[in-house]
Amino acid sequence: MKFNPIAFIVNLAVPLIIGAIGAFFTASSVKTWYVTLTKPSFNPPNEIFAPVWSSLYVLIGISAYLVWQKRHTITRFPRTIAIYLIQLVLNLMWSFIFFYAHQLGVALFEIIALLIVIIINALVFYKIDKLAGLLFIPYILWVAFATVLTYNIFILN
C-alpha cells in the first residue's frame, strides 16, 4: 500500500488529541488531590505517565493508520471504527472520572470496561492487520497495570 502522509497524520492526531484532552482533566488534580491519596508501593512516579501515554497514543495512531490503509477490504469497517472510537472515548472518560470527578469506584469499573474494549479492539485490528493488532499489546499491558493500580488506590482510600 502506498503511504498517505495526510491519513497518517490524522490517524496519529486523533489519539494524541484524546490524550491531550485527558491530560487537561488530569493536570488540575495531579499536584493537588492525587498527592493526598494513599497509593500502593508499586505506584510509578508521576513523571512516568506522560511519556508512557504519549508513546501509547502514537502506537494506537499507527495501528489505526494500518487498519485505515485496508479499509476497502474490511467488510465491517463501520463496526471496526466504532470499536476503535469507543475505546478512545472510554480512555478519555477514565481520566475525567478518576482525576476530575475523583470517583475512584466508578473509575475502577470504567477502566475494567476500557480494558475489555481495548482487547476487543486489538483482536479486531489483528484480524485486519497483524501488526496493527500487535501494536496494541503495550497499551493492553499498561491499562492492565493501570487497572491494578486503580483497584489498589480505590481499596487504600
Side-chain angles (χ1 to χ4, degrees), residues 11-90:
N11 277 284
L12 278 181
V14 170
L16 287 168
I17 289 167
I18 294 293
I21 295 168
F24 172 78
F25 291 120
T26 302
S28 63
S29 292
V30 168
K31 294 180 182 172
T32 55
W33 171 76
Y34 187 67
V35 295
T36 67
L37 296 175
T38 305
K39 293 178 249 355
S41 60
F42 58 88
N43 191 78
N46 289 346
E47 302 79 38
I48 296 291
F49 291 98
V52 168
W53 276 112
S54 297
S55 300
L56 293 173
Y57 290 133
V58 168
L59 291 176
I60 293 165
I62 293 169
S63 181
Y65 173 73
L66 293 172
V67 169
W68 178 86
Q69 281 190 309
K70 295 184 176 180
R71 69 195 178 282
H72 299 298
T73 65
I74 303 168
T75 56
R76 294 183 177 160
F77 189 67
R79 185 190 77 155
T80 301
I81 295 302
I83 292 167
Y84 176 69
L85 293 175
I86 289 167
Q87 68 83 18
L88 286 177
V89 169
L90 287 172

Side-chain angles (χ1 to χ4, degrees), residues 34 37-44 94 98 104-105 107-109 111-112 143-157:
Y34 187 67
L37 296 175
T38 305
K39 293 178 249 355
S41 60
F42 58 88
N43 191 78
W94 184 87
F98 186 91
L104 300 177
L108 177 59
F109 284 106
I111 200 167
I112 292 167
V143 173
F145 172 72
T147 302
V148 172
L149 194 58
T150 301
Y151 170 76
N152 280 274
I153 291 172
F154 173 68
I155 294 300
L156 293 170
N157 292 278

